[in-house]
Amino acid sequence: MNDVFDTMRESMEGVHMHTPVERIVAAGRARRRRKVTAIAAGAAVAGGLSLAVATGGPQVNGPPAGVHVQLAAFSVNSNADGTVTVKLTKEQTLDPATLESTLAQAGIPADIRINEFCNSPVDIPGFDKVMSSSKEEGGQVVITVDPAAMPPGTKIIAGIRTSDYLPDSPSKLGAVFGLAHVDDTLQCSTELPR
């Protein structure tokens, strides 16, 4: 991540700001005042809508917007039925922290590892109701997760193998998934599961 910041910083060398700081601060304050006014107006509208609903008026509630993230290494999309579709691109190495953060936004606690494979110290039943997976023609792994089926206090654990990791191993597994309690101390290994 620091490499990205260093590259950005280097690319901005020679760029100079001609607007005085006082003018920028004044513009920010003006925007905040307008935002507070907009929030107050929004609260008044929301109050009116809740009054309309309470008095039998038409309902305007729709499904939440959900999460829709498309990156080179993966995509995460919330579905209308409450499930979440995750697609992993085999050719790209993903950043586990970014995938974990995106899944958390979709209501799925997760512990993602690259070339490290973990087990929960206790067996948690019901994983088959939480997750299913398939492969598309291009080799993309498609995972469907139902956050509502996850037992309370659990997270998904995933070990994802990169294409260059132990290429001579007889194991054909590209990824291993499971459930663990959020506070569990996981038993992890860099050896590929059989």
Side-chain angles (χ1 to χ4, degrees):
M1 192 65 143
N2 287 337
D3 293 340
V4 173
F5 289 129
D6 290 342
T7 303
M8 288 175 60
R9 188 178 308 113
E10 289 169 8
S11 71
M12 296 302 287
E13 285 180 15
V15 175
H16 301 284
M17 188 170 76
H18 300 290
T19 307
V21 173
E22 296 80 17
R23 194 172 182 192
I24 294 171
V25 171
R29 287 185 181 140
R31 274 194 212 98
R32 277 195 298 277
R33 282 193 296 273
R34 285 193 298 270
K35 190 175 183 179
V36 168
T37 303
I39 290 171
V45 170
L49 288 175
S50 47
L51 179 62
V53 170
T55 58
Q59 288 196 346
V60 292
N61 296 340
V67 173
H68 300 284
V69 174
Q70 313 293 323
L71 299 174
F74 69 87
S75 68
V76 175
N77 288 289
S78 299
N79 303 313
D81 65 356
T83 62
V84 176
T85 301
V86 180
K87 292 185 179 183
L88 303 175
T89 306
K90 199 173 182 182
E91 293 77 28
Q92 298 287 330
T93 301
L94 61 87
D95 175 35
T98 304
L99 180 55
E100 286 174 9
S101 173
T102 306
L103 290 172
Q105 291 173 34
I108 303 168
D111 184 333
I112 311 293
R113 313 275 178 116
I114 301 297
N115 298 328
E116 186 178 17
F117 310 94
C118 301
N119 291 312
S120 172
V122 294
D123 187 35
I124 301 173
F127 183 72
D128 57 328
K129 292 177 177 51
V130 173
M131 193 178 115
S132 62
S133 65
S134 62
K135 263 191 178 177
E136 289 185 342
E137 279 185 38
Q140 199 172 43
V141 178
V142 180
I143 301 162
T144 304
V145 181
D146 184 357
M150 292 179 69
T154 61
K155 63 183 174 183
I156 288 181
I157 54 175
I160 300 172
R161 177 184 184 181
T162 57
S163 58
D164 60 343
Y165 187 69
L166 300 178
D168 295 332
S169 170
S171 175
K172 300 295 183 201
L173 290 175
V176 178
F177 298 93
L179 277 177
H181 292 288
V182 172
D183 297 328
D184 278 347
T185 300
L186 300 176
Q187 301 159 349
C188 301
S189 170
T190 55
E191 289 184 25
L192 285 168
R194 297 191 180 268

